[in-house]
Amino acid sequence: MRFRTVTSPHILGETSVGRIMRRVLYAMVPGIAALVWFFGWGVLVNLSLASGIALLAEAAILAVRNKPLALYLNDYSAVVTAWLLAVALPPLAPWWLTVIGVLAAIVVAKHLYGGLGYNPFNPAMIGYVVLLISFPREMSTWPIPHGIDQAHAMTLWETLQAVFSGVQPARFAPDALTGATPLDVLRTQLGLGLTVTEVRNSPVFGIVAGSGWEWAALGFLAGGLWLVYTKAAAWQIPAGMLGTLAVISTIFYGIDPQRYAPPWFHLWSGAAIFGAFFIATDPVTASTTPRGRLIYGAGIGLLVYLIRGFGGYPDGVAFAVLLMNIAAPTIDLYTRPRVFGAHRE
Amino acid sequence: MSQSYREILKNGVWTQNTGFVALLGLCPLLATSNSVVNGLGLGLATTLVLLLSNVAISLIRNLVRPEVRIPVFVMVIACVVTAVELAMHAFLPGLYTVLGIFIPLIVTNCCVIGRAEAFAFKNGVAKSAVDGMATGLGFTLALVLLGALREILGQGTLFGQAELLFGEAGRGLTLHVLDDYRGFLLAILPPGAFIGLGCLIAIKNVLDAHAKRRAAAKPAVALQEVQA
């Protein structure tokens, strides 16, 4: 009788790409729920459209590359990319915007560089930046946050019409539905010479940061902490990023509280929390050593503050993540942990 | 060593294409390929410079000591580029304004001095002229293809602003390929040039690999026919 010889390890851990990716999806649910509540059905339309297109694109390009379809389609990585991108898109974005973004993410940023595990840049953020650079008008019109139950929110049918045929329901005035985001308002108003206190009186602001946005950030924080707790995401990256962002914004707030927004506003606004826990922690494109992850996170936090405060865009998480993606291999090279037993240099 | 005219042409335009294979002169290639007309204008200007500088250097190749050849090349090329620049300023002022700094910068295009060193200094006048022409046409091909790709994606037109190159008669040449197109800004911006060039190089490699496979399959077919 012949026994099958199996090399070690004989006991396998539970982690696999699919398992980690599914966890990321679960962790996004609370934040997405908050987004749906405040911004309407468009968030869900974007999510489903992006997931569908992402799976189709992934299947098509896997077939072209002669790779096993079932293995790669079941690892959920395409769906995670699609969700990360869809959450970052304006909820009433026209359908072609989502399609172009997903194709840029899956086909160009992921598969042209060799597929999962080989891409140097975060695919979802490439998709987002391609759209942000190419279609600035469509990308900067976000719905005004309402509760989904209120009379002046769009129904699912009206949302579908707006997304797929561009027809805005006639019962709303054109500017009753969409407006600038809180970070956008802050940026333009500060540019006009108003003080932070005056800007804060605008109705787009809530208790801590943007109204509606702060609850989504809370949801993503809860999901993100769970990801860190289950070790699906490294704690160093969000800690480094949010810590740096907090320290720098505190310094500037201390210098002149009327010219620079308070640290809690920066932490709870835009994509800071979402980016720190879900985007920057992408295991493929982030730094991989413990010290390197802190530096990588800190770099993102610094760049986010610089772009928000002094750059050309209201939020800078996507650009910051992509810039630090370029730096990640070098950071890894200089922060390699000492091999156990080896001499200190 | 000695190449036939046919080989020189094929090398310049396709096999050793400056833009797609040698990757020389990338700066003008990426910067001025945002429309077909800009690409064609700079490509033809570069072709003229290559032709004239190759002929001039081939003529003086036996008079120049090899030790000082590089400074001599540089001076010849600089003279030719200045002449071409002045001519364009005089006859194509619109295109001259659009291309701006990239016309005098032809002087720094590595493929010009590259052809002088690698070909014109070692070959006769006629062959050097053909080589300069072929290399320039290859560069123009790269510029026009990339320009067409970026112009269609970015603006939905082809031969936009053709009047800059062909005068008023060229105005009718502009094709609106995609009507009512919103424009894909990325294709016009610098990243679009890099992505587009990458895609074109990939397509060229696929075509070459395909041609190679077909060439390899051919003798076998011929053999079967003989056996039959």
Side-chain angles (χ1 to χ4, degrees):
Chain A
M1 182 175 173
R2 295 190 60 145
F3 291 100
R4 198 162 63 96
T5 348
V6 181
T7 54
S8 63
H10 301 290
I11 301 172
L12 299 171
E14 292 173 331
T15 45
S16 68
V17 174
R19 195 180 161 88
I20 301 245
M21 294 292 172
R22 277 197 301 277
R23 269 193 193 156
V24 174
L25 293 181
Y26 301 147
M28 283 167 76
V29 169
I32 288 174
L35 281 179
V36 174
W37 176 261
F38 286 104
F39 294 103
W41 294 104
V43 181
L44 286 184
V45 175
N46 273 354
L47 279 174
S48 6
L49 180 64
S51 314
I53 300 289
L55 285 174
L56 280 179
E58 178 99 353
I61 201 147
L62 283 172
V64 171
R65 296 180 64 209
N66 292 325
K67 300 269 178 187
L69 282 188
L71 176 67
Y72 285 99
L73 283 181
N74 281 332
D75 70 7
Y76 289 88
S77 62
V79 182
V80 168
T81 302
W83 280 34
L84 292 176
L85 177 64
V87 165
L89 291 180
L92 291 179
W95 62 272
W96 48 264
L97 200 73
T98 314
V99 172
I100 292 175
V102 170
L103 289 182
I106 298 286
V107 177
V108 178
K110 187 175 174 194
H111 279 286
L112 286 191
Y113 284 98
L116 182 69
Y118 294 93
N119 47 314
F121 300 107
N122 190 315
M125 287 304 101
I126 292 274
Y128 179 76
V129 164
V130 163
L131 295 178
L132 190 63
I133 291 175
S134 303
F135 310 102
R137 192 163 61 84
E138 282 82 0
M139 289 298 285
S140 58
T141 42
W142 271 73
I144 296 166
H146 304 298
I148 206 166
D149 58 339
Q150 291 172 18
H152 45 280
M154 287 165 82
T155 63
L156 177 58
W157 176 241
E158 285 169 340
T159 310
L160 285 172
Q161 275 186 317
V163 168
F164 286 98
S165 59
V167 180
Q168 298 259 337
R171 63 192 178 100
F172 297 109
D175 55 352
L177 287 172
T178 54
T181 63
L183 277 171
D184 221 352
V185 170
L186 180 77
R187 196 182 129 72
T188 37
Q189 305 274 21
L190 285 182
L192 292 174
L194 295 173
T195 63
V196 171
T197 334
E198 285 167 342
V199 179
R200 283 292 309 261
N201 290 329
S202 159
V204 296
F205 294 98
I207 310 161
V208 186
S211 87
W213 295 81
E214 50 200 13
W215 294 101
L218 192 67
F220 286 122
L221 177 68
L225 287 176
W226 179 70
L227 271 189
V228 170
Y229 174 72
T230 57
K231 295 192 175 157
W235 66 269
Q236 289 96 336
I237 296 173
M241 172 176 164
L242 297 175
T244 313
L245 187 58
V247 168
I248 301 175
S249 50
T250 311
I251 293 172
F252 277 94
Y253 186 61
I255 293 173
D256 187 351
Q258 289 309 317
R259 266 178 62 209
Y260 301 102
W264 51 88
F265 176 82
H266 273 289
L267 287 180
W268 286 102
S269 287
I273 299 269
F274 177 64
F277 285 99
F278 291 91
I279 294 168
T281 52
D282 172 21
V284 178
T285 56
S287 188
T288 50
T289 60
R291 255 192 317 147
R293 282 171 169 161
L294 272 176
I295 299 171
Y296 171 84
I300 295 176
L302 175 70
L303 285 169
V304 167
Y305 192 81
L306 288 179
I307 295 171
R308 278 184 184 178
F310 311 101
Y313 285 92
D315 201 357
V317 173
F319 292 107
V321 167
L322 290 178
L323 284 170
M324 289 311 287
N325 281 165
I326 305 177
T330 317
I331 296 175
D332 279 352
L333 187 70
Y334 285 105
T335 57
R336 272 186 299 199
R338 190 169 58 93
V339 176
F340 183 71
H343 285 289
R344 278 179 206 280
E345 300 275 330
Chain B
M1 182 61 223
S2 176
Q3 294 171 305
S4 71
Y5 288 106
R6 206 188 138 89
E7 276 174 345
I8 295 173
L9 262 177
K10 196 180 167 217
N11 272 343
V13 177
W14 188 256
T15 323
Q16 300 289 331
N17 187 302
T18 345
F20 294 149
V21 181
L23 299 182
L24 289 177
L26 281 189
C27 169
L29 179 64
L30 296 171
T32 61
S33 60
N34 48 10
S35 76
V36 176
V37 169
N38 286 355
L40 194 61
L42 192 85
L44 292 180
T46 311
T47 308
L48 192 59
V49 169
L50 268 163
L51 180 67
L52 295 177
S53 72
N54 260 16
V55 169
I57 284 160
S58 178
L59 278 173
I60 59 168
R61 72 184 190 280
N62 295 324
L63 306 173
V64 176
R65 294 185 59 83
E67 291 86 348
V68 295
R69 67 187 192 283
I70 300 288
V72 172
F73 293 166
V74 172
M75 278 194 288
V76 169
I77 294 167
C79 290
V80 173
V81 170
T82 310
V84 169
E85 187 198 350
L86 290 173
M88 284 185 79
H89 199 168
F91 299 112
L92 299 167
L95 192 65
Y96 178 84
T97 324
V98 173
L99 291 178
I101 187 71
F102 288 99
I103 301 171
L105 273 182
I106 296 174
V107 78
T108 62
N109 192 332
C110 334
C111 81
V112 181
I113 201 166
R115 292 326 290 173
E117 165 76 4
F119 199 94
F121 200 64
K122 299 169 188 161
N123 288 282
V125 176
K127 281 193 174 174
S128 297
V130 173
D131 178 72
M133 183 85 129
T135 310
L137 287 180
F139 189 60
T140 312
L141 177 77
L143 270 164
V144 168
L145 282 181
L146 191 54
L149 183 75
R150 290 176 67 190
E151 196 180 338
I152 290 183
L153 281 180
Q155 299 174 333
T157 61
L158 262 183
F159 294 105
Q161 294 184 304
E163 66 272 12
L164 291 180
L165 192 59
F166 304 109
E168 281 309 305
R171 206 173 276 278
L173 270 177
T174 306
L175 300 173
H176 291 275
V177 182
L178 306 164
D179 277 331
D180 200 21
Y181 185 60
R182 312 176 68 94
F184 186 51
L185 210 53
L186 185 79
I188 296 289
L189 292 171
F194 282 97
I195 299 171
L197 181 67
C199 292
L200 287 179
I201 292 175
I203 292 173
K204 182 187 180 292
N205 288 346
V206 168
L207 287 179
D208 282 351
H210 188 70
K212 212 170 172 181
R213 267 203 309 275
R214 245 194 358 210
K218 225 176 211 168
V221 177
L223 197 66
Q224 280 173 355
E225 279 169 3
V226 169
Q227 284 169 342

